[in-house]
Amino acid sequence: MNLNLYSVLTVLVVLTACFSYVNYRYIKLPATIGIMVISLVCSVLIMVTGKFYPALMAHPVRMINSLDFETLLMRVMLSFLLFAAAIHIDVRKLKKEMAPVLLFATIGVLISTAVIGTAMYFVFQLFSVSIPFIYCLVFGALISPTDPIAVLGILKQANITESIETKISGESLFNDGVGVVIFVSILEIATGTGELSVSNSALLFVKEAGGGILWGVILGYAGYFLIRSIDNYQVEVLITIATVMGGYLFAYFLHISGPLAMVVAGIIIGNKGKELAMSDLTKDYLNKFWELVDVILNALLFLLIGLEMVVLSFDKKTIFIGVTAIAIVMAGRLISVFLPTLLLSFRRSVERHLIPILTWGGLRGGISVALALSLPRGSIRNEMVAITYIVVVFSIVVQGLTIGKLAKKLSSKQKSSPVQLNKTSFD
């Protein structure tokens, strides 16, 4: 029987609902992490069962392969997820933390890409795997963007300072877009469609990132003026949906950063729009609608990440490289947080425990998997996808389940308060 898209989506939504219920009723892990853990267990059971009854595994494999994960996430889900997160960002708080947010989301991503890419080149050489250095940088770029959606709720319960929470959420929103731009730039050089030069790479970066930000401003203010001219919550919510779908599609055709456009548009509508253009009734419906969209899409995303294991192949060498990559990614994250923080310390105070919380709380998620799946097909792609998957699973499950305890432990030692970097504790 041929699986059509509606049938596949139906199965995924039903599984998401069932896993959400089981997690909420019995397991009681953070929602997205719980769903992913259950889907990973199911994937393992399917694989084990498939060893004895191959026919039973054929249907799940066919279903998962029928979905283009990269297209589904990067061209559909990501726009909604970023906009949904951005409309809840308080621009006043963000302005206070704009310097560290921009440093972490730009310089930090570049540092992380270089450190991870260089280290992975030597790791591949150590394991006698021939992967060109430029593709190691591609891996560094795709694994550098953080995706702390699952961890923000946990950190709130750990009573971290408002400034650290703003830094984490702000960085995650902007470094997704920046990371994708860097990934595309390096991949064009790796595949021979772009020239290896600083000027060309910088020009492409400015076009993608700058164009995305400018387009986001246009979208945000267009949505704001339209919403301000009426008072009907159904139409106003529909305008925000059109802003996301139409704006993201147009950004794709313009070859500019759709993720950055969604972040900027969401911040404008979520602040200026709510404050000056919406009634209390509209704000209530808008907040609840986009919060529900955020919850549902994240649940589906983490389900898909867990089920993706069924169609991936792992050998012993790949597993060893993947485990090594976990340590390298963590080291790259530490360096990419430490150096910008060092720069910040010359101009402003830095919160105690900022570096360990940002390091361990920098989760990798679906964007990294989607970017790996977008690589040209071949042996390099297979290696990259498998290694990326190992890093992402560790990040979400291990880091996601322990970051709250780490934050509480650090807070219990000393309440977070601004201090100079030379007094910052790494306890």
Side-chain angles (χ1 to χ4, degrees):
M1 181 183 72
N2 292 325
L3 289 172
N4 56 50
L5 181 60
Y6 179 77
S7 300
V8 173
L9 290 176
T10 299
V11 172
L12 292 175
V13 171
V14 170
L15 286 176
T16 302
C18 292
F19 291 176
S20 296
Y21 176 83
V22 170
N23 178 65
Y24 182 82
R25 183 74 173 81
Y26 301 106
I27 304 177
K28 302 186 185 302
L29 291 175
T32 49
I33 297 178
I35 291 170
M36 181 176 163
V37 169
I38 297 172
S39 62
L40 282 171
V41 172
C42 288
S43 296
V44 172
L45 291 176
I46 291 171
M47 294 168 68
V48 171
T49 305
K51 296 288 185 181
F52 302 97
Y53 304 99
L56 292 178
M57 191 172 174
H59 189 75
V61 169
R62 190 164 66 250
M63 182 192 75
I64 296 169
N65 279 330
S66 67
L67 280 175
D68 187 340
F69 186 93
E70 185 264 334
T71 299
L72 181 62
L73 175 58
M74 299 302 296
R75 298 185 188 175
V76 181
M77 297 174 68
L78 184 60
S79 58
F80 287 93
L81 288 169
L82 290 176
F83 186 87
I87 63 170
H88 294 110
I89 291 289
D90 188 330
V91 73
R92 297 179 185 86
K93 297 177 183 176
L94 183 61
K95 283 181 178 178
K96 294 179 182 178
E97 306 298 336
M98 187 56 73
V101 165
L102 290 181
L103 275 176
F104 292 139
T106 54
I107 303 299
V109 174
L110 287 169
I111 292 172
S112 176
T113 298
V115 171
I116 294 172
T118 302
M120 286 303 299
Y121 176 74
F122 292 106
V123 169
F124 285 126
Q125 296 293 315
L126 181 64
F127 284 92
S128 300
V129 178
S130 179
I131 293 184
F133 178 70
I134 190 68
Y135 272 101
C136 295
L137 289 178
V138 168
F139 175 77
L142 69 86
I143 205 67
S144 290
T146 58
D147 182 21
I149 293 169
V151 80
L152 283 177
I154 303 172
L155 289 177
K156 287 180 182 178
Q157 296 174 6
N159 295 319
I160 64 168
T161 61
E162 190 176 80
S163 60
I164 294 181
E165 184 181 330
T166 302
K167 287 183 180 71
I168 293 175
S169 57
E171 179 203 3
S172 68
L173 286 173
F174 285 100
N175 76 8
D176 284 348
V178 173
V180 171
V181 171
I182 295 173
F183 169 80
V184 170
S185 302
I186 299 176
L187 183 60
E188 286 190 0
I189 296 170
T191 55
T193 57
E195 294 184 24
L196 181 57
S197 71
V198 175
S199 60
N200 286 334
S201 299
L203 184 63
L204 179 61
F205 182 85
V206 170
K207 178 193 171 186
E208 289 262 354
I213 292 172
L214 178 60
W215 179 231
V217 171
I218 295 171
L219 284 173
Y221 275 97
Y224 161 71
F225 285 119
L226 288 172
I227 291 171
R228 193 177 68 170
S229 66
I230 60 173
D231 185 16
N232 182 291
Y233 73 84
Q234 294 102 326
V235 178
E236 292 173 72
V237 171
L238 189 58
I239 288 172
T240 62
I241 298 173
T243 299
V244 172
M245 299 182 73
Y248 201 82
L249 180 64
F250 199 62
Y252 174 74
F253 286 119
L254 291 176
H255 299 289
I256 57 178
S257 176
L260 285 175
M262 291 302 101
V263 171
V264 174
I267 290 174
I268 292 172
I269 293 176
N271 287 271
K272 195 175 182 66
K274 287 181 183 178
E275 186 175 339
L276 301 175
M278 299 180 193
S279 65
D280 290 338
L281 181 64
T282 298
K283 281 189 282 188
D284 185 48
Y285 274 99
L286 186 76
N287 287 331
K288 288 179 179 177
F289 173 81
W290 283 104
E291 183 179 338
L292 190 59
V293 167
D294 189 38
V295 169
I296 292 172
L297 290 184
N298 269 301
L300 279 169
L301 172 60
F302 281 79
L303 173 81
L304 285 169
I305 293 175
L307 294 179
E308 195 71 23
M309 176 184 279
V310 174
V311 297
L312 296 179
S313 57
F314 301 91
D315 55 34
K316 289 183 179 179
K317 182 182 289 186
T318 302
I319 293 174
F320 281 127
I321 295 175
V323 172
T324 306
I326 292 171
I328 290 174
V329 170
M330 290 304 304
R333 174 64 178 172
L334 174 60
I335 295 170
S336 69
V337 168
F338 176 78
L339 292 181
T341 303
L342 184 62
L343 290 175
L344 286 170
S345 68
F346 293 112
R347 297 293 301 272
R348 57 185 288 170
S349 58
V350 177
E351 296 90 342
R352 187 177 296 276
H353 311 315
L354 173 65
I355 292 175
I357 291 177
L358 281 180
T359 300
W360 196 248
L363 303 190
R364 271 63 182 182
I367 290 175
S368 295
V369 176
L371 291 177
L373 289 169
S374 72
L375 293 171
R377 293 190 176 275
S379 59
I380 291 179
R381 177 183 183 271
N382 297 336
E383 289 281 348
M384 293 292 187
V385 171
I387 294 167
T388 300
Y389 192 82
I390 292 171
V391 173
V392 168
V393 170
F394 173 88
S395 178
I396 294 172
V397 176
V398 178
Q399 291 175 241
L401 291 178
T402 56
I403 182 60
K405 295 178 180 178
L406 173 65
K408 286 182 178 178
K409 181 180 178 181
L410 294 176
S411 297
S412 65
K413 287 186 176 181
Q414 179 176 344
K415 293 294 183 181
S416 297
S417 58
V419 293
Q420 296 300 320
L421 182 67
N422 56 12
K423 297 180 182 177
T424 300
S425 170
F426 288 82
D427 296 343

